[in-house]
Amino acid sequence: MGRYSQPLATEFLAATGVQPGWHALDVGCGPGALTVQLVERLGSAAVTAIDPSESFIEAIRARLPEVDVRRGVAEQLPFPDNSFDLALTQLVVLFMADPVAGLAEMARVTRPGGVVGACVWDHAGGGGPLSLFWDAVRGLDPLARDESAFAGSRGGHLVELFESAGMHRLDSSLLSVRVRFESVDEWWEPYTLGVGPAGDYVAQLSNDRRAQLLARCTELLPPAPFDIEGRAWTVLAHI
């Protein structure tokens, strides 16, 4: 998903109105798509990142050695109240054990006048970058479970989560990015790596079923080279 998350990070950060001198927190930083953007805008000393995965923590520390990177979860952020001007989480709300608690923690550590933001792919509305893949899957396996039921993935749900977390001065939008692929093989290869729900689904298929799925995807994809669009529900709360 890095090919999509990197351009999304650019659009997401631009929407926040981030200002020089702000101190920012990246919650669920993963391999650092958003963290890198924050460092470029604010400098390493002004950026803190947190993630539950030790492998991601090690990768971020190697990539951005001057950034304060910690291991932890959104629902229990190890920071005092009012520590940050900006607290963001990109493509993470849907994986939080308790999204409302995670967003409430982000609000707690953000100073009055600061901004809390989150974005989630439009899985339920068919606008996520994996939508074509799951359309192909359902054509062969109607009972397959995709990401459409994940938290924040349907229109309006991310707003509901923010409101449940006690935030009400909200701006909601739908960000869009496009990624170019030179061939079907280039598009398909990431699905074979066993990463995320889509990768897990492909990994459990027999060779024959996998070939059938690839053939169906090829039918649905436009002629190469082609662009795949990804749309993300985005909410910004003014604390």
Side-chain angles (χ1 to χ4, degrees), residues 34-111:
L34 180 59
T35 316
V36 169
Q37 298 276 348
L38 287 167
V39 169
E40 290 177 354
R41 293 291 297 272
L42 301 173
S44 297
V47 176
T48 300
I50 188 167
D51 197 276
S53 168
E54 187 61 39
S55 62
F56 285 150
I57 295 295
E58 293 175 358
I60 288 286
R61 286 174 175 162
R63 187 178 186 184
L64 302 168
E66 297 181 1
V67 170
D68 178 7
V69 185
R70 307 188 192 187
R71 185 175 183 183
V73 297
E75 295 86 351
Q76 295 180 328
L77 294 175
F79 309 106
D81 295 357
N82 307 325
S83 295
F84 303 95
D85 304 286
L86 180 66
L88 301 178
T89 186
Q90 175 171 300
L91 308 178
V92 175
V93 167
L94 67 169
F95 297 116
M96 290 181 184
D98 186 337
V100 172
L103 291 171
E105 273 288 272
M106 292 173 64
R108 177 186 66 79
V109 302
T110 302
R111 65 162 177 81

Side-chain angles (χ1 to χ4, degrees), residues 4-5 7-9 11 121 175-179 228-231:
Y4 301 97
S5 59
L8 178 62
E11 298 297 322
W121 292 125
L175 300 180
S176 177
V177 298
R178 303 184 73 87
V179 174
I228 296 294
E229 182 184 22
R231 299 194 300 271

Side-chain angles (χ1 to χ4, degrees), residues 195-212:
V195 178
D200 289 344
Y201 182 83
V202 172
Q204 55 86 35
L205 295 176
S206 67
N207 289 338
D208 286 347
R209 292 287 288 175
R210 189 177 300 191
Q212 290 176 358

Side-chain angles (χ1 to χ4, degrees), residues 10-29:
T10 301
E11 298 297 322
F12 184 29
L13 188 54
T16 67
V18 59
Q19 299 294 319
W22 279 12
H23 188 188
L25 173 66
D26 184 0
V27 177
C29 60

